[in-house]
Amino acid sequence: MTRVKGAADVVVAGGGPAGALAAYVLARAGVQVRVIERHRFPRPKLCGDTLNPGALAALRRHVPVAAITKRGLPIGGMVLTGPTGVTIDGAYGPAGPGLAIVRSELDAWLLSAAADAGAVVEEGTLVTGPAIRDGRVGGVVTRRGGVDRIVAARLTIGADGRRSRLALGLGLSRHPARPRRWAIGAYFDGVPGTAARGEMHVGRGSYVGVAPLPGGLTNACLVVGEPAARQAAGAPAAALMAALTGTPRLAARFAGRRPVAPPVLLGPLAVDVTAAGVPGLLLAGDAAGFIDPITGDGLRLAFGGAEYAAEVALDVLGGRLDIHAAPAALAARRLAAFRAKWRFNRALRRLLDVPGGVRGAAWVARAWPRAFAEIIRFAGDCSTWTRVSR
């Protein structure tokens, strides 16, 4: 096994949104950063392809976003429907808009921004696990072209996704027994009736997200439980089309449409973690825990988690925080910032699993629409006004 000469201050495993933003923040602060990414960008990524106002604000705190907002589509709010026909249409208001942009384009832009800020980016290289030195993580083990190397660093940020080889290898993460849901997503061209809104159509045990994208594309994503996912595994396109044409508000719009490329099936989605890292390692992004995407908060949590990981890393490198105390410090920051959102997400997940829960919620929405306007406001980190269709 070879060793990379000249250890970095920080090595970041994963060049997705969390890893790229953490690398950007650290490089701008003068830290020597090396990003190790297994793919070559741009690369396809299953996602809802939208940043809510909270996610966009978190990104804007660090990176000039004018270039990417020009290439995206403003999203002014969310439409939420239930099985009884009730429709909640909420605008983001003064905090908005959000942004719709294909993830492959967003991710490539953000990783390029990190490189421009001074981070060394190495694509096409797999992080296979942590490098342990003096009883703590002292970098990562990588593989490229069949050759294993150790990339040493004073600190490591694990942002290598739901199946993080760092978090899984150290026993920090697992896929929980419940919930176990899978996503089936695809792009469609020329879908009529799409407006500058994201859409969430909630059914019994499943939901469909729809988002307009630049260039006339539409993102459609179905999230289902394990039994339905097993049935769909052999024909994901058929399962997705059945869900779209079986949803009243979507049926006419998707009738006769076909995905522009084969749908992607991904799961199980949820990831639980027992800690935010270990001495020498801090987790960020999906590696630090992945929640059900029903609230559309994935990128918001990824960017926020990247901010906190970078802040803690700077405290360690600056001598203000002991490296052994860093994981607990990161966990405390994440808990303070995300606890309410985690509880909110768990409550919605349970609602899908309880017999009659979705139908009961739909009747509440019909009688008390302002409560569900608050759901849209809270999910997007902004205020809303509401129009209700009965």
Side-chain angles (χ1 to χ4, degrees):
M1 185 179 296
T2 60
R3 183 180 297 270
V4 173
K5 295 181 180 180
D9 292 325
V10 177
V11 61
V12 179
L21 182 59
Y24 179 92
V25 172
L26 291 168
R28 292 274 294 178
V31 174
Q32 292 182 317
V33 186
R34 180 181 292 271
V35 181
I36 310 294
E37 167 56 45
R38 67 179 302 177
H39 297 287
R40 294 189 181 278
F41 283 29
R43 53 94 169 93
K45 176 70 174 178
L46 178 62
C47 180
D49 288 336
T50 58
L51 288 75
N52 67 23
L56 194 55
L59 190 59
R60 188 179 284 117
R61 281 195 289 272
H62 303 284
V63 188
V65 299
I68 202 67
T69 54
K70 289 178 181 177
R71 288 145 61 180
L73 182 70
I75 294 294
M78 286 291 298
V79 174
L80 176 66
T81 74
T84 66
V86 66
T87 299
I88 307 295
D89 186 329
Y92 287 143
L99 185 72
I101 186 164
V102 176
R103 268 289 301 275
S104 59
E105 187 171 354
L106 172 68
D107 292 0
W109 166 79
L110 190 52
L111 188 59
S112 178
D116 290 343
V120 175
V121 176
E122 184 176 342
E123 297 179 83
T125 302
L126 175 67
V127 171
T128 62
I132 306 300
R133 183 180 62 187
D134 299 328
R136 65 175 181 85
V137 175
V140 295
V141 180
T142 71
R143 181 172 299 151
R144 183 176 186 177
V147 177
D148 289 344
R149 301 181 303 164
I150 292 177
V151 180
R154 295 171 63 187
L155 273 176
T156 299
I157 293 179
D160 49 338
R162 295 167 39 258
R163 299 185 182 276
S164 166
R165 292 178 180 244
L166 297 177
L168 287 169
L170 291 167
L172 299 176
S173 68
R174 66 181 180 89
H175 292 290
R178 296 186 62 186
R180 290 180 70 82
R181 294 198 177 93
W182 273 252
I184 305 171
Y187 296 112
F188 295 79
D189 193 16
V191 175
T194 55
R197 287 281 198 274
E199 302 176 41
M200 187 66 70
H201 304 278
V202 182
R204 300 175 185 88
S206 66
Y207 55 91
V208 176
V210 175
L213 290 166
L217 285 178
T218 297
N219 177 309
C221 190
L222 166 67
V223 177
V224 296
E226 186 168 15
R230 290 186 182 278
Q231 293 178 0
L240 178 59
M241 290 308 304
L244 294 171
T245 56
T247 301
R249 191 177 176 108
L250 300 176
R253 293 160 59 190
F254 282 88
R257 302 286 168 180
R258 292 292 180 269
V260 299
V264 175
L265 175 65
L266 178 70
L269 297 177
V271 176
D272 287 346
V273 296
T274 57
V278 294
L281 171 70
L282 303 172
L283 298 178
D286 293 347
F290 184 83
I291 63 173
D292 197 300
I294 189 170
T295 58
D297 257 335
L299 285 170
R300 168 69 182 91
L301 298 178
F303 291 149
E307 289 182 293
Y308 302 132
E311 289 171 2
V312 170
L314 288 172
D315 284 343
V316 172
L317 296 172
R320 298 180 293 275
L321 180 65
D322 184 84
I323 195 169
H324 294 85
L330 176 58
R333 296 190 193 195
R334 290 176 58 88
L335 182 63
F338 301 150
R339 175 166 29 194
K341 284 293 183 74
W342 290 337
R343 288 176 175 171
F344 174 62
N345 188 278
R346 283 194 292 268
L348 291 182
R349 291 189 329 218
R350 292 192 186 104
L351 192 67
L352 283 178
D353 291 333
V354 174
V358 172
R359 180 170 290 274
W363 283 111
V364 172
R366 184 178 293 276
W368 192 20
R370 288 289 172 184
F372 280 76
E374 286 301 300
I375 288 178
I376 296 172
R377 182 203 66 79
F378 186 68
D381 295 297
C382 61
S383 60
T384 68
W385 59 265
T386 304
R387 180 173 67 255
V388 182
S389 303
R390 296 183 183 274

